[in-house]
Amino acid sequence: MKKFLMGNEAIAMGAIHAGVNLVCGYPGTPSTEILETVAKNNDGSIYVEWSVNEKAAMEVAAGASYSGARTLVTMKQVGLNVASDPLMSLAYVGVKGGMVIVSADDPGPISSQTEQDTRHFAQFAKLPVFDPSSPEEAYAMIGDAFAFSEEYGTPVLFRPTTRVCHGCASMEIADTKNVHKPEGFIKDAKWTIFPRLSYQNHIKIEKRNPILGEKLSSYRFNTVTGSGTKGIATGGISYEYIKEALGGCNAKLMKVSTPHPFPEKLALEFLRGLTEVMVIEELDPVIERELIFLCGKHHLNVTIRGKLSGDVMQAGENTVESVKSVLNGYLGLPAPEKSRFLPPLPVRPPVLCAGCPHRASFYAVKQAMKGQKAVFAGDIGCYTLGNAMPLDMVDTCLCMGADVTIAQGMQHIEPDVKHFSFIGDSTFFASGITGVVNAVYNESDITLIVLDNSTTAMTGHQPHPGTGRTMMGNITEKVSIPAILTAVGVKEVSVVNPFHLTEAIEAVKKAAAHKGVSAVIFRSPCIAVSKPVASYQVDSGTCTGCKKCIKEIGCPAISMDSGKALIEPSLCFGCSLCAQVCPCGAMKGVRYS
């Protein structure tokens, strides 16, 4: 049948039709919709879970794969860092059932803290990696990845980029799915990793990968087309850009869909008769370096150009326009006619939503610590936006869970400064708990602020251990954050609604005065998972135009009109923070019936 699918949906449907038995992962843009699509189309035969983090997901999938199940693990590129410990060992131990690890890269970056290229991880881990160039190719390629994994007993990395993940296409998909029945776990010494076995397996991997590279030279998605003395090499979404940029030009073009192990035989065929090659790829010069190596190894007099030569930009994502710019100069094509574009949209910096409880939480801490020297360590999530003015409450942001430990490091060096760490409820479960244990054990003097909005808000409101609901739709026991903190030895723990501003400020003051690790849990649901209770209006006769509501909290629903504050009713969520901040009582709430 024919369906119009997003790339992530295509990957999910490809996995379902390949007979996947277990799917797990951790939400992260641009990968999130893969697991959600599997869950949506699950007939009950597939086990699906949002794991607490990527490491847990990798290990759950490994166990299932040891039992002969086909498993899919989903994450974004920075999540692969978290999962790298089991991944590196899995490369040596191997798998039984096909195991495909989707690591969605984010050139730009559009929604990430790094531009990280998973192809390097494949080389580092000595694992095969598949790099689709379109949603249609991703659908077909995911089944090949499962088959390849089982044939060679190895995990396989699958690396779509943002434009493949979120691009849409009409494609033919299977009417039926392959049914894969796991054999079950069979005891064998090979599943227990020891140094001697690792050494022997390393030798096998080094012998195996050149053989895989030769086999992949004939893989249907690795292609060489066109002719001429000037070549173009590419892979992933850049292939689509090049095809569009070339139009009818018949240049010799190599598409690399399996960058590791590199299809050397195909590449040598491509290089034959060429004088130079332009390599266009995202993100790093992976294909470019492989071609340079091959030219040296086989004494080929071919000039390889790309990122390393400065011909192609070294950061950011490619576009059809950027590719045209490179190819026009390289191939001597006429410059494209200037398109008539609409005027650029006004710049709109990202802000916390109107009514977001994080705004009230940050403001409460800011008021509680007014006049005192304090440092605020932040984390990955919506609440990273607390760094913007007028809140200005996120001084550091490294990676998930690092707020707790960054604060500890700074506190040990500057014990006279009060150190806070801000962490979301989902991130607390993903990677914050060990940091809290470290703080208690090592007698740190920090205050942990848990921003509990009852969801994983930044990536689309996925459930987590604190929500009491699993991705299989089961109602389960809610894991209590206060109970965890108390159990690991945090003596001062309070739970407060951040919109009860006076109470919230007093809770922060009490926690900050406590010697040792203290915690305040600000609990109020995200506006996307709750209903507004009121709408606020400004009494223009009472408003003095002091702008305190704007200068102090920066709510996007509030603006100035004719010297008076104005609340946009379509944006107001009725959180009441502005009314509590207003010094003249001009903000009036109208409750919904």
Side-chain angles (χ1 to χ4, degrees):
M1 73 180 79
K2 202 157 194 174
K3 280 197 172 183
F4 186 72
L5 298 175
M6 179 197 289
N8 280 342
E9 293 175 319
I11 292 168
M13 296 308 295
I16 290 172
H17 294 146
V20 70
N21 303 108
L22 177 145
V23 182
C24 49
Y26 188 79
T29 306
S31 72
T32 308
E33 297 87 357
I34 301 170
L35 190 143
E36 291 178 336
T37 301
V38 174
K40 182 180 177 182
N41 292 276
N42 188 6
D43 61 3
S45 63
I46 306 168
Y47 175 77
V48 186
E49 76 169 36
W50 282 125
S51 306
V52 294
N53 64 19
E54 295 86 353
K55 180 179 186 291
M58 186 77 71
E59 291 160 353
V60 168
S65 180
Y66 289 174
S67 300
R70 282 193 164 183
T71 63
L72 183 72
V73 193
T74 68
M75 63 195 70
K76 67 186 296 178
Q77 87 283 12
V78 287
L80 193 58
N81 301 335
V82 180
S84 62
D85 189 10
L87 176 68
M88 299 303 291
S89 295
L90 269 173
Y92 278 40
V93 173
V95 296
K96 181 178 176 182
M99 181 174 177
V100 179
I101 302 135
V102 177
S103 175
D105 283 3
D106 186 23
I110 298 168
S111 59
S112 308
Q113 59 268 46
T114 67
E115 284 192 297
Q116 184 176 307
D117 196 322
T118 293
R119 294 177 299 171
H120 287 305
F121 241 116
Q123 293 173 328
F124 182 42
K126 306 181 189 301
L127 290 175
V129 58
F130 287 69
D131 191 9
S133 66
S134 67
E136 304 98 309
E137 200 166 277
Y139 171 77
M141 199 180 278
I142 198 81
D144 295 343
F146 277 113
F148 200 83
S149 173
E150 286 175 350
E151 183 178 354
Y152 293 98
T154 180
V156 169
L157 284 163
F158 198 83
R159 184 239 183 194
T161 54
T162 301
R163 302 302 175 182
V164 173
C165 290
H166 290 165
C168 296
S170 182
M171 66 190 78
E172 286 288 341
I173 66 168
D175 294 323
T176 58
K177 70 174 188 176
N178 175 41
V179 177
H180 181 81
K181 293 185 178 179
E183 183 185 11
F185 181 71
I186 297 174
K187 293 188 179 185
D188 192 306
K190 70 180 182 180
W191 302 123
T192 306
I193 191 166
F194 283 109
R196 180 64 184 170
L197 180 61
S198 295
Y199 169 75
Q200 292 169 347
N201 286 352
H202 187 187
I203 293 172
K204 291 177 183 177
I205 289 169
E206 295 296 351
K207 288 181 178 178
R208 177 198 72 188
N209 279 351
I211 297 170
L212 297 189
E214 181 156 352
K215 178 170 182 176
L216 289 169
S217 286
S218 58
Y219 178 50
R220 57 180 171 150
F221 290 119
N222 287 327
T223 60
V224 174
T225 56
S227 59
T229 58
K230 286 187 172 185
I232 304 166
T234 189
I237 191 65
S238 297
Y239 172 76
E240 300 293 335
Y241 299 154
I242 288 169
K243 293 288 285 184
E244 184 172 341
L246 283 175
C249 181
N250 186 34
K252 195 172 186 183
L253 175 63
M254 179 174 72
K255 182 180 74 161
V256 179
S257 296
T258 56
H260 188 266
F262 196 70
E264 182 174 327
K265 184 178 178 182
L266 181 71
L268 290 173
E269 175 192 324
F270 165 70
L271 290 168
R272 192 178 301 119
L274 296 179
T275 57
E276 59 182 332
V277 174
M278 182 67 73
V279 187
I280 299 175
E281 57 188 317
E282 291 175 340
L283 281 155
D284 296 331
V286 172
I287 298 171
E288 187 178 351
R289 284 196 173 101
E290 291 284 1
L291 292 178
I292 291 170
F293 171 77
L294 282 182
C295 288
K297 178 181 176 182
H298 295 277
H299 309 290
L300 301 176
N301 187 22
V302 182
T303 301
I304 307 298
R305 297 165 60 182
K307 292 175 183 284
L308 296 175
S309 63
D311 290 284
V312 179
M313 61 182 186
Q314 295 177 330
E317 62 174 346
N318 295 328
T319 63
V320 174
E321 289 71 28
S322 70
V323 168
K324 276 183 179 179
S325 178
V326 173
L327 294 183
N328 287 338
Y330 174 59
L331 298 174
L333 300 175
E337 293 182 10
K338 289 187 178 180
S339 302
R340 293 182 180 179
F341 292 109
L342 293 171
L345 294 171
V347 176
R348 180 189 179 276
V351 294
L352 293 170
C353 299
C356 176
H358 298 337
R359 178 178 289 103
S361 301
F362 282 125
Y363 187 72
V365 177
K366 190 171 188 176
Q367 294 306 301
M369 298 310 296
K370 188 174 284 187
Q372 301 182 53
K373 193 173 181 182
V375 177
F376 308 105
D379 213 307
I380 304 296
C382 296
Y383 48 95
T384 311
L385 297 173
N387 73 321
M389 298 298 286
L391 291 172
D392 190 25
M393 286 293 288
V394 176
D395 296 319
T396 70
C397 182
L398 179 64
C399 62
M400 288 188 69
D403 64 294
V404 191
T405 33
I406 289 283
Q408 293 169 51
M410 292 191 292
Q411 187 271 321
H412 291 311
I413 301 302
E414 292 186 282
D416 296 331
V417 176
K418 187 59 193 178
H419 292 87
F420 286 80
S421 67
F422 291 93
I423 192 168
D425 46 340
S426 180
T427 306
F428 176 83
F429 291 114
S431 53
I433 296 173
T434 50
V436 177
V437 172
N438 193 72
V440 173
Y441 172 62
N442 289 295
E443 301 179 303
S444 296
D445 183 17
I446 65 169
T447 297
L448 174 71
I449 305 293
V450 181
L451 306 171
D452 185 355
N453 63 359
S454 305
T455 189
T456 312
M458 191 177 188
T459 52
H461 310 100
Q462 293 78 23
H464 61 64
T467 64
R469 181 171 58 88
T470 71
M471 203 55 183
M472 292 293 287
N474 299 330
I475 303 302
T476 183
E477 188 73 26
K478 288 184 180 181
V479 180
S480 168
I481 295 175
I484 290 172
L485 292 172
T486 302
V488 300
V490 181
K491 299 292 191 289
E492 173 60 37
V493 179
S494 61
V495 181
V496 63
N497 185 332
F499 291 122
H500 299 163
L501 190 57
T502 301
E503 183 185 344
I505 291 171
E506 290 306 311
V508 174
K509 286 180 178 178
K510 182 181 177 183
H514 177 83
K515 187 69 176 176
V517 182
S518 59
V520 177
I521 300 163
F522 283 124
R523 183 173 290 164
S524 182
C526 171
I527 64 167
V529 296
S530 60
K531 293 181 179 180
V533 294
S535 176
Y536 277 74
Q537 301 170 353
V538 179
D539 182 346
S540 58
T542 308
C543 177
T544 63
C546 68
K547 299 183 181 178
K548 186 175 182 181
C549 54
I550 291 176
K551 292 179 179 178
E552 297 260 325
I553 61 175
C555 176
I558 307 175
S559 60
M560 296 297 292
D561 182 43
S562 302
K564 303 285 186 177
L566 175 70
I567 296 176
E568 169 54 51
S570 65
L571 294 177
C572 181
F573 200 77
C575 73
S576 81
L577 184 60
C578 61
Q580 296 178 73
V581 169
C582 178
C584 51
M587 309 295 190
K588 308 294 184 181
V590 179
R591 296 191 67 83
Y592 295 117
S593 56

